Amino acid sequence: MATKYKRVLYKLSGEALAGGKGFGIDSEVVTKITSQIVEVVKQGVEVAIVVGGGNIWRGKTGEELGMERATADSMGMLATVMNSLALQDALEQKGVDTRVLTSVEMKEMAEPYIRRRAIRHLEKGRVAIFAAGIGNPYFSTDTTAALRAKEIGAEAILMGKNGVDGVYSADPKLDSTATKYDKLSYMDIMNKGLTIMDSTAITFCMDNHLPIIVFSIDDAENIVKVVSDSNLGTTIE
């Protein structure tokens, strides 16, 4: 299968790893996701990953507990490290060399994020997983994905969502009249108030001409299909 890209960054939600459980890490889901990423690597595509932490900790929970935002966000960074290590282990069990690189130093468990080192890992065919956000509170993993994608020279951000197969005019679960968009501009996302990514990430992608493809991860095979099928999901550029 011919691929459109040489180097991509997959943005996965933490919730996707929870599967139907809604919390924690579902080993069956992780196996399905990583098996497909292995297939993408076999096609010669260099793969980086940013995964969220919402299956373990959400900032909203911190707010309900009366936490400072910075503390709650720090806990969220640690949740992304846990998810990243789970993905690393599953990938390496399938024979794919993987490196977790963290923005917050924890050298006993993962490498510190260094741009040139990350690129070298990709060039050697290793999957690079970027954890702990950008290392600062108030910035989401969406923004992390946009920043890291640009830094490593990824050609696109492939945003895997659970429960939705693209960007819609409204929440299709709540509004039966919601329509799916095949293509959108960055300004469309902001002007229409679509919340597929936070505004900081969208603005960064617009300023740096970085395309985003939003697709469904409910069918794990889409992880492979999205690198070659231009009609899958919604393209934002």
Side-chain angles (χ1 to χ4, degrees), residues 76-96:
M77 292 179 211
L78 295 177
T80 71
V81 176
M82 294 173 70
N83 285 337
S84 297
L85 292 173
L87 289 174
Q88 178 185 43
D89 184 76
L91 285 165
E92 294 202 333
Q93 286 186 38
K94 297 173 179 62
V96 173

Side-chain angles (χ1 to χ4, degrees), residues 39-51:
E39 292 303 312
V40 175
V41 172
K42 286 180 178 178
Q43 291 182 24
V45 180
E46 296 173 2
V47 175
I49 301 172
V50 170
V51 62

Side-chain angles (χ1 to χ4, degrees), residues 14-60:
E15 289 86 346
L17 301 190
K21 295 179 180 179
F23 180 82
I25 298 171
D26 186 319
S27 59
E28 184 176 331
V29 171
V30 171
T31 297
K32 287 180 179 178
I33 290 173
T34 52
S35 294
Q36 292 300 303
I37 291 172
V38 169
E39 292 303 312
V40 175
V41 172
K42 286 180 178 178
Q43 291 182 24
V45 180
E46 296 173 2
V47 175
I49 301 172
V50 170
V51 62
N55 56 318
I56 298 171
W57 175 262
R58 297 190 64 84
K60 184 177 180 181

Side-chain angles (χ1 to χ4, degrees), residues 180-196:
K180 178 175 173 286
Y181 299 108
D182 293 325
K183 292 185 181 297
L184 287 166
S185 70
Y186 307 106
M187 288 304 299
D188 287 335
I189 296 293
M190 292 186 282
N191 291 336
K192 295 177 185 292
L194 302 172
T195 56
I196 201 69

Side-chain angles (χ1 to χ4, degrees), residues 58-127:
R58 297 190 64 84
K60 184 177 180 181
T61 306
E63 290 178 10
E64 292 170 352
L65 293 172
M67 279 187 175
E68 288 185 349
R69 171 70 182 274
T71 300
D73 283 358
S74 295
M75 293 175 68
M77 292 179 211
L78 295 177
T80 71
V81 176
M82 294 173 70
N83 285 337
S84 297
L85 292 173
L87 289 174
Q88 178 185 43
D89 184 76
L91 285 165
E92 294 202 333
Q93 286 186 38
K94 297 173 179 62
V96 173
D97 285 341
T98 309
R99 297 290 187 273
V100 174
L101 300 98
T102 62
S103 301
V104 177
E105 188 172 346
M106 45 187 76
K107 60 185 178 181
E108 288 79 11
M109 290 183 285
E111 296 180 11
Y113 172 76
I114 299 171
R115 174 181 168 273
R116 291 172 65 90
R117 180 182 292 177
I119 292 171
R120 187 61 178 148
H121 286 321
L122 294 169
E123 290 172 343
K124 289 185 174 182
R126 298 167 181 154
V127 173

